[in-house]
């Protein structure tokens, strides 16, 4: 038996399956009893096992290949097999952590003036749906477009077309002039409550605006006096604006309540902030709990907020995922984006990190405005305890 096996082995060249088969036939033809059959069976089993192994492996790999070609807006790079399935990456300049629609600007976070900005003259782009107090006001182009769009809706729905931009972008010098004027009139302490120190004002960003009413006879009124006040507030919120210094938040913002100062943060952030009754500082603090290494803040298409593990956010249904990525130490910061996410948008928070907002599936902001009272409850549960 041993001999027979050895003989058969010697007759089977190891180089190729084909040759091996031929030798087996040869063995069989010789009527060599058991050894030939046993070797034949063993080889057939081996071939079957190897074939099955490859079949199963290729089946397992099939979805992976699909994923690689799937459409994500992110510039994708796939560093490792394990991560490949759940994440793509965007590289952003680390210095951009001080720029974007979600930057925090307050007494602890000075505005970092960019080399170039995208400011346009408000008056030159004005429509009949709103007014502007001075013809030299400048504003961020995108934000002015949003304002134009929402005042058009307002005017069409309510007839209110006296909404007036009473302050917009301010240079460092302009802020200094306004501040000095307040200080001389009201004293330093009061001035600080209404006018930020030069360099620390949201008006430097170009994405904040003071809004009042100016009637056709020149009467200036707070927007609270408009019959369309509720509609004004709803439209601002639904278009990405927040009331930046709301009532009851002075301890945090260190600015007195200002019912006229609006700040653009974009969607869906304005919905969450306003519905939850947060000030912007609280929201930026909240987002520090949500990271690509842990869970993201998930706003579902029906307005529910939840905390979902980053890797599972792709399967959480239509909605928005929001999370923070700390700024790296090099020139660029690598931003992980969950697989399958649409329209990833990255903004600095001006607090050492980036806020990433991605969308999954067919979800429109108008469908998530139902974001309700549960937001406050959610915030109570997840707010950082400090
Ligand atoms: Zn203001």
């Amino acid at each position: 038996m041993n001999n027979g096996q050895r003989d058969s082995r010697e007759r089977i060249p190891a180089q190729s399956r084909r040759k091996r088969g031929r030798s087996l036939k040869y063995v069989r033809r010789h009527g060599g009893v058991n050894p030939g059959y046993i070797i034949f069976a063993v080889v057939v089993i081996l071939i079957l096992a190897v074939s099955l192994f490859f079949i199963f492996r290729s089946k397992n790999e099939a979805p992976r290949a699909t994923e690689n070609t799937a459409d994500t807006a992110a510039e994708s790079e796939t560093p490792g097999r394990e991560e490949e399935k759940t994440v793509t990456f965007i590289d952003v300049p680390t210095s951009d952590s001080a720029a974007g629609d979600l930057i925090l600007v307050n007494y602890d976070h000075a505005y970092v003036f960019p080399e170039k900005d995208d400011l346009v003259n408000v008056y030159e782009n004005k429509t009949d749906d709103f007014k502007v107090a001075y013809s030299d006001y400048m504003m961020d182009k995108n934000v002015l477009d949003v304002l134009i769009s929402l005042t058009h809706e307002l005017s069409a729905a309510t007839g209110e077309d006296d909404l007036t931009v009473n302050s917009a972008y301010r240079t460092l010098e302009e802020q200094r002039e306004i501040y000095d004027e307040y200080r001389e009139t009201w004293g330093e302490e009061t001035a600080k409550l209404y006018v930020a120190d030069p360099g620390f004002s949201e008006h430097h960003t170009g994405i904040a605006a003071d809004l009042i009413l100016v009637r056709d006879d020149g009467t200036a009124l707070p927007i609270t006096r408009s019959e369309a006040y509720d509609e004004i507030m709803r439209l601002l919120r639904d278009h990405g604006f927040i009331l930046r210094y709301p009532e009851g938040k002075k301890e945090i913002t260190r600015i007195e309540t200002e019912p006229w100062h609006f700040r653009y943060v974009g969607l869906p952030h304005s919905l969450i902030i306003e519905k939850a009754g947060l000030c912007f500082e609280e929201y930026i603090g909240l987002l520090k709990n949500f990271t690509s290494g842990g869970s993201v803040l998930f706003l579902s298409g029906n307005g529910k907020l939840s905390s979902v593990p980053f890797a599972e956010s792709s399967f959480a249904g239509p909605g928005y995922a929001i999370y923070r990525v700390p700024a790296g130490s090099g020139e660029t910061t690598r931003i992980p984006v969950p697989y399958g996410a649409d329209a990833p948008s990255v903004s600095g928070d001006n607090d050492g990190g980036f806020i990433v907002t991605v969308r999954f599936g067919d979800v429109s902001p108008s469908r998530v405005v139902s974001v309700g009272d549960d937001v406050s409850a959610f915030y109570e549960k997840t707010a950082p305890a400090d």
Side-chain angles (χ1 to χ4, degrees):
M1 173 102 176
N2 274 345
N3 278 343
Q5 251 179 4
R6 205 175 291 135
D7 285 344
S8 303
R9 263 190 207 147
E10 278 158 13
R11 284 187 199 123
I12 301 169
Q15 291 95 327
S16 82
R17 206 182 289 170
R18 225 171 144 209
K19 277 186 184 168
R20 222 180 274 164
R22 211 183 289 151
S23 328
L24 283 168
K25 270 183 203 159
Y26 173 77
V27 172
R28 252 159 82 192
R29 233 180 277 142
H30 273 70
V33 261
N34 281 343
Y37 283 118
I38 288 165
I39 294 302
F40 177 73
V42 165
V43 170
V44 166
I45 286 165
L46 272 175
I47 289 169
L48 270 175
V50 167
S51 308
L52 283 173
F53 172 76
F54 279 109
I55 286 166
F56 276 108
R57 208 174 75 152
S58 68
K59 266 189 183 165
N60 284 340
E61 276 181 347
R64 212 179 265 165
T66 318
E67 276 159 16
N68 283 344
T69 55
D71 170 43
T72 52
E75 295 165 32
S76 65
E77 201 172 304
T78 48
R81 263 219 167 145
E82 285 312 305
E83 281 176 311
E84 199 177 313
K85 285 164 81 173
T86 53
V87 70
T88 54
F89 292 90
I90 305 174
D91 286 330
V92 296
T94 299
S95 58
D96 280 1
S97 69
D101 292 339
L102 289 166
I103 51 168
L104 185 60
V105 177
N106 60 19
Y107 284 132
D108 297 320
H109 300 83
Y111 180 61
V112 180
F113 286 87
E115 277 175 32
K116 247 171 47 175
D117 42 40
D118 197 9
L119 298 169
V120 290
N121 183 284
V122 181
Y123 184 76
E124 283 168 14
N125 293 279
K126 208 187 84 55
T127 67
D128 290 341
D129 300 317
F130 71 103
K131 296 173 174 171
V132 54
Y134 290 95
S135 61
D136 59 351
Y137 282 168
M138 307 288 280
M139 196 184 273
D140 178 274
K141 189 188 179 306
N142 292 332
V143 176
L144 181 59
D145 286 345
V146 175
L147 195 69
I148 287 169
S149 161
L150 81 88
T151 50
H152 182 67
E153 266 187 64
L154 176 72
S155 158
T158 70
E160 178 63 86
D161 56 5
D162 291 338
L163 203 65
T164 304
V165 177
N166 196 38
S167 187
Y169 170 74
R170 293 177 196 158
T171 64
L172 202 58
E173 295 70 38
E174 284 163 343
Q175 187 69 16
R176 193 175 300 286
E177 278 169 33
I178 295 170
Y179 180 78
D180 288 347
E181 203 179 300
Y182 257 73
R183 193 179 52 187
E184 277 161 33
T185 315
W186 306 101
E188 179 132 19
E189 211 175 304
T190 309
K192 271 189 188 300
L193 283 177
Y194 286 101
V195 184
D197 287 353
F200 298 84
S201 169
E202 276 208 336
H203 285 285
H204 296 317
T205 65
I207 61 174
D210 292 347
L211 298 177
I212 60 167
L213 298 172
V214 178
R215 295 304 181 202
D216 290 344
D217 63 4
T219 314
L221 299 167
I223 57 168
T224 50
R225 297 281 294 277
S226 172
E227 281 183 12
Y229 177 66
D230 289 346
E231 190 64 1
I232 294 174
M233 296 303 282
R234 186 190 71 78
L235 283 168
L236 283 165
R237 182 196 67 204
D238 292 359
H239 283 80
F241 284 90
I242 57 166
L243 188 61
R244 179 63 177 89
Y245 306 110
E247 251 178 275
K249 303 292 184 182
K250 185 180 140 187
E251 293 300 313
I252 305 166
T253 63
R254 287 155 70 189
I255 297 278
E256 197 60 72
T257 306
E258 288 191 357
W260 57 84
H261 181 108
F262 293 88
R263 154 72 194 273
Y264 185 79
V265 293
L267 290 166
H269 308 283
S270 56
L271 298 172
I272 303 171
I273 294 169
E274 291 284 303
K275 294 272 187 165
L278 307 179
C279 66
F280 194 50
E281 280 82 358
E282 290 173 310
Y283 185 60
I284 292 298
L286 171 72
L287 293 187
K288 288 187 175 158
N289 296 342
F290 298 98
T291 64
S292 58
S295 291
V296 300
L297 178 64
F298 196 86
L299 176 64
S300 74
N302 59 14
K304 292 276 177 227
L305 275 184
S306 58
S307 178
V308 174
F310 178 85
E312 289 168 28
S313 55
S314 311
F315 316 106
Y320 294 95
I322 305 162
Y323 54 96
R324 182 179 186 272
V325 177
S329 52
E331 269 190 23
T332 58
T333 296
R334 177 149 285 195
I335 307 281
V337 174
Y339 164 73
D342 286 326
S345 101
V346 179
S347 169
D349 65 3
N350 201 24
D351 194 23
F354 293 92
I355 309 294
V356 189
T357 311
V358 297
R359 202 186 62 216
F360 292 104
D362 180 21
V363 53
S364 73
S366 60
R367 275 166 52 192
V368 295
V369 292
S370 60
V371 59
D373 296 337
D374 67 305
V375 178
S376 310
F378 181 83
Y379 179 66
E380 297 297 320
K381 274 193 300 189
T382 46
D386 59 356

